[in-house]
Amino acid sequence: MEYFLQQLINGLTLGAIYGLIAIGYTMVYGIIGMINFAHGDVFMIGAFISIIAFALLSILGVASVPLAILLVLATTMVFTAAYGWAVERIAYRPLRGSFRLAPLISAIGMSIFLQNYVQLLQGARIKPLPPMITGGILLTEGDGFAVQINYTQMIIIAVTVTLMVAFTLLITRTALGRAQRACEQDRGMAALLGINVDRTISLTFVMGAALAAVAGLMFALYYGVVDFFIGFLAGLKAFTAAVLGGIGSLPGAMLGGILIGLIEAFWSGYFSVEYKDVAAFSVLVLVLIFRPTGLLGRPEVEKV
Amino acid sequence: MLSIQALRTFYGHIEALKGVDIEVQAGEIVTMIGANGAGKSTLLMSMCGNPRARFGKVMFEGRDITQLPTFEIVRLGIAHAPEGRRIFPRMTVMENLQIGSTTAPSYFEEGLARVLRLFPRLDERRQQRAGTLSGGEQQMLAIGRALMSRPRLLLLDEPSLGLAPMVVKQIFQVIREINEAEGMTVFLVEQNAYHALRLAHRGYVLVNGRVTMSGSGAELLANREVRAAYLEGGH
Ligand SMILES: Nc1ncnc2c1ncn2[C@@H]1O[C@H](COP(=O)(O)OP(=O)(O)OP(=O)(O)O)[C@@H](O)[C@H]1O
Ligand SMILES: [Mg+2]
């Protein structure tokens, strides 16, 4: 039981990170119908910017850990968002209205470019982040096994829940969110109503990248190391999460992220760590066989 | 108010509009009738830059808008209730109306009151998903949404399509009302030639991408060719 609880906590933490990345996939898919294969690398850039920002702050002598984390959070969101914006502007917008595969190919190119770009600038070796937050809370103890939620996990879960609530409100309640949903449903009509479609799409990339940046920071805090390749697997899993939840669905991305995190944690905990990725992807295959639109995806037929 | 000069629009190599001239004065209801595929919807869409006309000019209130992006054209005071209604099916009635006021956010409250007064049916269905509305209600929503931007020129593409006679009557009544009470200029594309010509001050007949006839509503109604082509059988 204690062991189970511990895996649950670990799984939720992982799931929070995947969910944050998955939102970017699902929103971009919703609005322009393409898989942004470079999104995982935008997440990786977010992780690097966090590490650089932490280093800068320690040089500047910011000693307070909560303050440092808040500053890094803001910095990495802003800079990573700029990358997200640039990716769309450079790699996708010029291809809008081109054949369907064109932006996908461009996305893969962008992904490779970003990896090499970071590798050149930062080197290929893993970058460590000195442990910032230590300690945790002992929840229960039994059978010689202590269930612990450490402070990093608490921060990750709290920040993620806050962001997801804020984000859901943004999409469902604000004019920007309505414009995004309008573009999703009928871009031509949105333009006819005075919505600047290009700007709305840009903002979607900016928002997705900002959330991926938070995930990058969380990843760096949680694992303590990053390299230029982390975007690949994390991106693939977040993408799996988005598909599992129903691509295009915002709650679906969150749910999918949590499920993938849990599957990974429980599989590693009870079976074998080596096959944890296989487990996540197998569940995806099963879901797609029995429910092709994902868990919360809407069926394609629609009365209009 | 609106002046279209020698407008030519293409879909690939196919020329859908072959040099169209239209004038609409402020305060008028002007209709355009024509058979399926004549190019009526293309004309309305070309005014809004999607598809963009390859030759010719669209002038709105003295300004050349031919090359402006769509979202800027409609910001100048043109609203378009396009063919097929194109309401946002997965949003509520209210959200559709809110999006309608994108270009005139400060007008929202007043606009909402006006739209709900014109279409009381929408009032009862504010929180309903628009995709589940009946065809007539969807058309009311499409027109209401267009009115939310406080336009000076309203473009309507076949608002009567597929609706029961009672609903058609109601919608045409609303068009007349906003024109008479508020001086709204309306450009109405219709297949329902009889009702459209009775409602409109003036009309044009479009055949195969060309204007072949124009005149007052009454003149066109009395014209033998118009009667033969568009009014025989029924009415
Ligand atoms: N997207 C498109 N691509 C290619 N051709 C098109 C497109 N839209 C319209 N056309 C063609 O342009 C011509 C004019 O079409 P349009 O829709 O303007 O006609 P319409 O007068 O509105 O007809 P209806 O009364 O049936 O709505 C038609 O021959 C049509 O096939
Ligand atoms: Mg048409």
Side-chain angles (χ1 to χ4, degrees):
Chain A
M1 186 60 207
E2 280 74 18
Y3 190 65
F4 175 87
L5 248 172
Q6 187 64 61
Q7 296 312 326
L8 187 69
I9 292 169
N10 296 348
L12 285 176
T13 313
L14 266 181
I17 295 176
Y18 293 146
L20 283 175
I21 310 175
I23 291 175
Y25 280 108
T26 224
M27 283 186 39
V28 164
Y29 182 84
I31 202 161
I32 54 174
M34 72 163 282
I35 308 295
N36 177 11
F37 279 117
H39 188 57
D41 302 292
V42 170
F43 151 80
M44 175 269 292
I45 290 203
F48 268 91
I49 292 176
S50 315
I51 290 198
I52 294 167
F54 274 125
L56 283 178
L57 285 178
S58 81
I59 291 172
L60 292 175
V62 178
S64 150
V65 171
L67 178 66
I69 289 181
L70 276 181
L71 285 175
V72 171
L73 187 70
T75 319
T76 184
M77 282 176 91
V78 169
F79 282 96
T80 311
Y83 275 95
W85 178 84
V87 165
E88 191 270 339
R89 202 70 186 75
I90 295 166
Y92 307 146
R93 190 181 296 182
L95 295 173
R96 209 163 290 153
S98 169
F99 64 105
R100 234 180 120 71
L101 227 49
L104 278 186
I105 296 165
S106 182
I108 294 170
M110 201 56 180
S111 162
I112 296 170
F113 168 79
L114 288 176
Q115 284 175 24
N116 285 284
Y117 163 78
V118 172
Q119 191 183 358
L120 274 176
L121 285 182
Q122 297 290 324
R125 298 178 45 186
I126 56 169
K127 285 245 173 306
L129 177 70
M132 307 273 311
I133 312 154
T134 46
I137 297 174
L138 198 65
L139 293 179
T140 57
E141 208 164 354
D143 302 338
F145 187 86
V147 183
Q148 174 174 306
I149 176 163
N150 63 42
Y151 291 129
T152 309
Q153 290 177 316
M154 285 170 68
I155 291 175
I156 290 176
I157 292 173
V159 170
T160 304
V161 169
T162 314
L163 275 176
M164 285 186 175
V165 169
F167 206 69
T168 306
L169 289 178
L170 179 76
I171 297 293
T172 54
R173 301 283 161 83
T174 67
L176 173 61
R178 274 195 299 275
Q180 285 179 312
R181 285 181 290 143
C183 290
E184 236 175 88
Q185 294 178 32
D186 188 339
R187 246 193 279 170
M189 190 63 228
L192 278 180
L193 292 170
I195 292 170
N196 185 341
V197 174
D198 280 336
R199 205 191 55 159
T200 308
I201 292 175
S202 278
L203 283 174
T204 306
F205 276 83
V206 162
M207 284 154 66
L211 292 183
V214 179
L217 166 62
M218 303 300 172
F219 184 95
L221 284 177
Y222 194 51
Y223 289 105
V225 287
V226 303
D227 65 43
F228 71 97
F229 204 58
I230 56 168
F232 178 72
L233 203 55
L236 200 56
K237 282 189 201 149
F239 170 62
T240 305
V243 176
L244 180 62
I247 189 127
S249 155
L250 201 57
M254 302 176 191
L255 177 69
I258 289 168
L259 287 178
I260 293 288
L262 289 176
I263 292 168
E264 198 176 317
F266 282 115
W267 191 278
S268 330
Y270 286 100
F271 301 102
S272 69
V273 183
E274 289 79 26
Y275 286 102
K276 67 181 168 56
D277 301 336
V278 178
F281 297 131
S282 308
V283 170
L284 172 74
V285 171
L286 288 179
V287 169
L288 288 184
I289 289 172
F290 294 106
R291 216 183 135 77
T293 52
L295 296 172
L296 301 184
R298 67 192 132 75
E300 286 300 317
V301 223
E302 181 101 30
K303 175 196 169 197
V304 180
Chain B
M1 171 177 245
L2 176 74
S3 165
I4 295 174
Q5 297 155 14
L7 204 70
R8 297 172 66 192
T9 300
F10 295 75
Y11 293 108
H13 295 295
I14 300 163
E15 188 169 5
L17 297 180
K18 301 169 181 164
V20 173
D21 296 274
I22 303 275
E23 291 288 332
V24 178
Q25 308 298 326
E28 276 190 310
I29 300 179
V30 175
T31 189
M32 164 156 283
I33 56 175
N36 290 118
K40 307 181 295 297
S41 301
T42 303
L43 176 65
L44 286 191
M45 292 301 286
S46 291
M47 292 183 204
C48 299
N50 176 29
R52 205 166 284 288
R54 205 174 289 173
F55 305 103
K57 239 186 208 149
V58 182
M59 306 282 293
F60 178 65
E61 295 182 332
R63 204 174 147 175
D64 186 349
I65 60 168
T66 325
Q67 298 302 330
L68 286 184
T70 302
F71 73 93
E72 282 180 20
I73 292 176
V74 299
R75 275 175 195 197
L76 298 174
I78 300 177
H80 190 167
E83 178 164 49
R85 300 159 196 150
R86 292 172 74 174
I87 48 138
F88 299 110
R90 295 190 296 280
M91 290 195 216
T92 64
V93 167
M94 202 59 178
E95 287 176 321
N96 270 273
L97 294 175
Q98 283 171 317
I99 290 181
S101 71
T102 299
T103 62
S106 61
Y107 172 68
F108 178 74
E109 293 299 330
E110 199 185 323
L112 183 66
R114 169 202 196 194
V115 167
L116 296 181
R117 183 171 46 74
L118 291 171
F119 301 111
R121 284 283 278 272
L122 296 180
D123 200 2
E124 305 155 21
R125 292 175 166 71
R126 283 185 200 212
Q127 297 311 326
Q128 190 172 327
R129 270 162 57 104
T132 63
L133 293 174
S134 77
E137 289 159 355
Q138 291 193 2
Q139 187 61 59
M140 294 175 195
L141 180 57
I143 298 176
R145 182 179 63 181
L147 291 175
M148 289 300 292
S149 67
R150 192 176 216 169
R152 290 187 299 286
L153 172 64
L154 178 63
L155 309 176
L156 297 173
D157 196 339
E158 302 201 40
S160 73
L161 190 70
L163 304 185
M166 272 301 293
V167 185
V168 173
K169 221 173 134 187
Q170 193 189 346
I171 283 179
F172 275 47
Q173 185 52 44
V174 166
I175 298 171
R176 179 178 310 234
E177 194 181 321
I178 54 179
N179 172 258
E180 283 175 1
E182 306 168 26
M184 171 89 67
T185 314
V186 179
F187 189 74
L188 169 70
V189 159
E190 262 299 342
Q191 296 234 17
N192 194 331
Y194 177 75
H195 279 107
L197 289 172
R198 285 203 18 170
L199 174 73
H201 303 112
R202 291 190 301 114
Y204 292 87
V205 178
L206 191 69
V207 177
N208 256 322
R210 286 202 175 84
V211 172
T212 56
M213 254 184 278
S214 65
S216 74
E219 270 167 31
L220 289 174
L221 262 180
N223 182 292
R224 193 173 323 132
E225 284 172 53
V226 173
R227 295 189 75 88
Y230 305 105
L231 295 170
E232 290 304 294
H235 313 300

